Amino acid sequence: MFAVGGVFLEIAVTKAVPYLSQPSNSFDALPRSFGLFVIAITFLDLWIVNYSSVVGKARKTYMEIAAKNGEKDTDKRYSLPNMYVDGSTKPALSFNCVQRSHQHIMESIAQFNMVALMAALNFPIVAALLVSLHTAGRMTWCKSYANSEGEPGKRYDHPLAFHIWTSMLGLAFLAFISGFVFLL
C-alpha cells in the first residue's frame, strides 16, 4: 500500500513542480529531483560518521564512572579493542547500550543505502523523504538507546524511533517496483 502511495506521490510532485522532472545538468539520465535524494543520503551518512564520536566519549565517561565506583580492571574491560564491556554493572550496561546503538547502524547501513539508491533511481522524491524520515528516526532511536542507562527497551520510547523500520520497508517496496520498471 505504501509503495503505491509513494508512486502516486512521486507523480503528483513532479507534475506540480515540472522542474524536478527535467534532466539533471550533470547527468542527463537522472532527473533534477535525484539531487534531493543525494542530499538526504549524504546527510545521513555524515551524521553516522559524526555519531561514532559518541561511542568514544561514552567509553571514556563510563570507564571513569566504573573506576570511581570501585570496579576492577576498568582499563582492560572498557578499552579498545573490546567492543562491549563484560559485566552487569550500571556503567557497563549503559556503555553497551551506546555501543550497540552505533553497531546497529553499522550492521544495517550498507543494505539501507543500497535499497535507498535502487528506490531513488525511479522515485527520487519519495526516496529522499523516506531517507529523511529514517534519519530522524535513527537519530531519536540512537539518542534513546544511548540515554537508556542500560535498559535497551527504552530505544523505542520516542514515536519517531520506529520509523527506522517503516522507512526501510517503504524503500524496499519502491526498490522492488524499480526492478520491475527496469524490466519493462
Side-chain angles (χ1 to χ4, degrees):
M1 183 72 162
F2 180 81
V4 173
V7 171
F8 287 119
L9 177 63
E10 189 80 26
I11 293 167
V13 171
T14 53
K15 283 186 178 184
V17 186
Y19 174 82
L20 292 175
S21 62
Q22 294 173 0
S24 167
N25 289 334
S26 57
F27 193 64
D28 289 343
L30 294 173
R32 290 177 191 261
S33 57
F34 193 78
L36 297 171
F37 168 75
V38 171
I39 291 167
I41 202 80
T42 302
F43 179 82
L44 171 63
D45 290 342
L46 289 173
W47 175 80
I48 290 169
V49 169
N50 183 61
Y51 189 71
S52 65
S53 67
V54 170
V55 178
K57 290 175 188 172
R59 184 178 299 277
K60 181 180 178 187
T61 299
Y62 288 114
M63 185 187 314
E64 290 171 359
I65 292 170
K68 285 180 186 175
N69 289 348
E71 288 186 35
K72 304 280 188 228
D73 301 321
T74 54
D75 286 340
K76 182 180 178 185
R77 290 174 46 231
Y78 283 83
S79 296
L80 292 170
N82 296 329
M83 188 178 293
Y84 295 101
V85 177
D86 288 332
S88 58
T89 63
K90 189 89 164 173
L93 294 174
S94 295
F95 170 74
N96 287 343
C97 281
V98 176
Q99 172 60 33
R100 184 68 195 129
S101 72
H102 182 260
Q103 184 60 30
H104 188 269
I105 296 169
M106 297 297 101
E107 292 168 357
S108 60
I109 194 61
Q111 296 91 332
F112 180 83
N113 282 352
M114 182 56 73
V115 169
L117 176 61
M118 294 302 110
L121 289 173
N122 283 296
F123 310 104
I125 297 168
V126 177
L129 290 172
L130 287 170
V131 168
S132 298
L133 177 63
H134 181 84
T135 302
R138 180 61 74 179
M139 288 172 148
T140 58
W141 186 88
C142 286
K143 184 177 181 181
S144 297
Y145 210 163
N147 295 332
S148 70
E149 298 179 344
E151 297 179 38
K154 291 182 176 180
R155 67 191 184 274
Y156 290 106
D157 281 356
H158 194 283
L160 275 176
F162 190 71
H163 289 297
I164 62 174
W165 304 113
T166 56
S167 59
M168 177 68 159
L169 287 173
L171 288 166
F173 285 124
L174 291 174
F176 193 71
I177 292 170
S178 285
F180 282 109
V181 169
F182 283 123
L183 289 173
L184 299 177

